[in-house]
Amino acid sequence: MRAAPKSIVGLSLVRVVLQAQRAEDFQALRGLVDVSHLLLCEGGPKAEAVAEELGAQLHTLEDIEQRRRPWSNADMDALTVAFAAILRDEPDITVLPYAASVRLDQLGDLVSRTFRVASPSARLKLQFDDKIRTREAFRSLDLPVIDSERIDQHTTFDRLAHKLGVPFILQQAVSSGGTGTYLVSSADQLIPHLTRNDAGGLIASRRVGRETVNVHGFILEDRVHVSPMSIQLDGIESLTDQPFVYCGNDFSAVRFLDEQIRATVAAMTTTVGEWMRRMGWWGVFGMDYRVDGDRAWPIEVNPRFQGSTWVLADAELAAGITPLAGRQLGIGRQADWLDWHEVIERSQVIEHQLRGQPSDRSADGLMLEVGAVKRRHLLTGGAATLLRNLSDSDERRSVRCPRE
């Protein structure tokens, strides 16, 4: 089992290799550690600028493939394979991955010199990624569990409709970002999934809740810390034609949640974090909940950094607190953690993944991933007007406007 770091003495003398999807995933580490290489999925001017800020050599999958496409944490294996020579030949490095990967673990096992991976094992990650397993764990922990059923070749629409109501949610057991999630209203919509080879890797669930709440947790040696939560944005019509695709997180909207719900979500996250620690997990993780009124249901664990981690890091840095990525490396005072009220005061940010035309509505602090190109913009007011001026799909640049 790969142990969590108690601390890294003289970390500035330890060379770190960062491995992530996006340029900004670990941008918050600038000035905190000595980064020798930045291994990214995406390339372009933003990646080059972040690499320069970090003082790191940049290497990207985008440059190798000579194309732009959406990236996910599943691409961490491809990233390791593409730049194995760097990881293999660089002496005395610590690798901080966005998500644990099998190939990175295998490479670490093969390399004889010091090769530290600042994350738990990929084997554990795969266990926690499985929605079927985690639902079973939630039940064993006496947490509220959404009515659900594992799908097999003998599953019928009538049986699911009777148990779960119509429409119900169908999900791939291992998926993220809303991909592999479907709304099923008829037998015709269910049958194609039943004929697929991965039918046993599907779970059907009752559709509950009005909001999805996302939260970061961090597992320490003696306790679990719960970071500020956010409202997750999914399936925004002006941004995507897919009803469950991840569109971002709104940290400021948490103020509209009932205080008891916030406390309940925090308590359940602590319970799950303690269970994960007993299983061998340490460091950062995330969780999603469905919320309706005064009720909340845990729906999945994200055993990795999350798409909104870097947004949270902006608020942590503004408050003079070590971001979660730094804590994963073993730095930062354990007594210093960010309160959710500070996030609201310091960072009203919405992250969007743009799949269609933006609406005419403005937002206070609108951040966008535009198309498959993944451009990001932090805007304040008049967002739609500014977006209409960013029509060149090949252009990559970030726009930062101070809050008004």
Side-chain angles (χ1 to χ4, degrees):
M1 182 187 301
R2 188 182 298 142
K6 293 182 183 300
S7 65
I8 299 179
V9 179
L11 188 63
S12 61
L13 302 178
V14 177
R15 289 189 296 179
V16 176
V17 174
L18 302 178
Q19 189 184 67
Q21 302 173 52
R22 299 161 292 257
E24 56 270 35
D25 282 331
F26 293 136
Q27 186 176 5
L29 290 174
R30 58 188 179 275
L32 295 179
V33 293
D34 177 14
V35 182
S36 60
H37 296 276
L38 180 60
L39 312 183
L40 296 179
C41 293
E42 74 171 12
K46 174 65 175 178
E48 294 167 2
V50 170
E52 184 176 356
E53 283 186 19
L54 293 169
Q57 296 183 47
L58 175 66
H59 314 270
T60 75
L61 276 181
E62 188 173 287
D63 289 338
I64 291 177
E65 295 186 0
Q66 289 296 299
R67 67 190 180 105
R68 293 174 179 173
R69 62 178 177 86
W71 307 99
S72 73
N73 69 87
D75 290 305
M76 293 299 100
D77 271 330
L79 202 57
T80 297
V81 171
F83 303 112
I86 294 171
L87 297 171
R88 184 179 58 246
D89 299 337
E90 191 80 3
D92 299 325
I93 59 172
T94 295
V95 182
L96 177 62
Y98 179 86
S101 71
V102 172
R103 292 301 182 94
L104 185 60
D105 284 356
Q106 291 173 341
L107 184 62
D109 291 339
L110 291 174
V111 176
S112 58
R113 52 108 182 109
T114 304
F115 182 101
R116 176 175 176 271
V117 179
S119 77
S121 71
R123 176 187 59 80
L124 272 177
K125 176 185 180 295
L126 292 174
Q127 290 183 35
F128 297 130
D129 268 331
D130 190 322
K131 296 176 177 60
I132 296 173
R133 288 187 178 184
T134 52
R135 296 279 178 91
E136 292 171 351
F138 296 158
R139 188 172 289 106
S140 71
L141 295 169
D142 293 326
L143 300 180
V145 179
I146 296 173
D147 289 340
S148 57
E149 182 171 326
R150 183 170 185 166
I151 302 300
D152 58 36
Q153 299 289 345
H154 305 292
T155 300
T156 65
F157 174 80
D158 288 343
R159 187 176 79 196
L160 292 177
H162 177 74
K163 179 178 179 179
L164 307 175
V166 177
F168 56 81
I169 306 296
L170 188 68
Q171 291 179 290
Q172 293 176 1
V174 179
S175 59
S176 63
T179 60
T181 301
Y182 315 94
L183 190 65
V184 176
S185 302
S186 67
D188 289 341
Q189 292 176 326
L190 177 64
I191 289 173
H193 298 287
L194 298 182
T195 58
R196 291 170 51 179
N197 292 330
D198 63 350
L202 293 170
I203 183 172
S205 307
R206 182 182 297 276
R207 193 181 192 189
V208 301
R210 302 182 60 183
E211 303 284 356
T212 298
V213 172
N214 174 264
V215 64
H216 287 78
F218 197 92
I219 299 174
L220 299 159
E221 184 178 359
D222 59 346
R223 63 190 175 93
V224 176
H225 171 77
V226 179
S227 288
M229 57 196 70
S230 64
I231 301 297
Q232 187 158 294
L233 309 174
D234 300 309
I236 297 176
E237 292 183 1
S238 58
L239 305 180
T240 177
D241 59 355
Q242 302 297 315
F244 300 105
V245 164
Y246 169 71
C247 294
N249 297 76
D250 185 352
F251 285 85
S252 64
V254 174
R255 72 181 71 199
F256 301 114
L257 286 180
D258 182 82
E259 185 175 352
Q260 183 57 47
I261 279 292
R262 295 196 299 267
T264 298
V265 167
M268 287 194 287
T269 303
T270 299
T271 298
V272 173
E274 294 286 0
W275 165 70
M276 294 176 70
R277 183 174 61 184
R278 293 193 295 272
M279 296 284 287
W281 194 263
W282 53 268
V284 73
F285 72 100
M287 286 191 66
D288 292 334
Y289 295 83
R290 289 295 288 174
V291 171
D292 190 2
D294 60 354
R295 301 188 65 189
W297 298 263
I299 55 176
E300 65 185 47
V301 171
N302 301 320
R304 52 177 168 78
F305 289 94
Q306 302 186 105
S308 61
T309 306
W310 73 277
V311 184
L312 183 60
D314 279 351
E316 290 169 325
L317 289 174
I321 294 172
T322 303
L324 294 181
R327 294 181 185 275
Q328 192 78 8
L329 288 167
I331 61 177
R333 296 191 306 172
Q334 288 199 7
D336 292 339
W337 295 94
L338 192 64
D339 181 80
W340 77 272
H341 292 92
E342 294 182 80
V343 174
I344 290 176
E345 293 170 4
R346 297 175 182 272
S347 179
Q348 292 188 17
V349 177
I350 299 174
E351 183 186 0
H352 283 166
Q353 188 166 19
L354 189 65
R355 296 301 185 190
Q357 292 299 314
S359 68
D360 290 331
R361 292 174 296 179
S362 299
D364 180 14
L366 177 65
M367 180 166 50
L368 304 169
E369 291 187 19
V370 182
V373 180
K374 291 187 180 288
R375 281 198 309 249
R376 292 185 180 241
H377 311 278
L378 181 58
L379 315 173
T380 302
T385 301
L386 182 52
L387 281 172
R388 280 193 286 269
N389 295 328
L390 299 174
S391 57
D392 184 356
S393 61
D394 294 324
E395 182 184 10
R396 296 173 64 95
R397 60 188 172 118
S398 292
V399 180
R400 281 189 176 269
C401 303
R403 289 178 54 195
E404 295 174 342

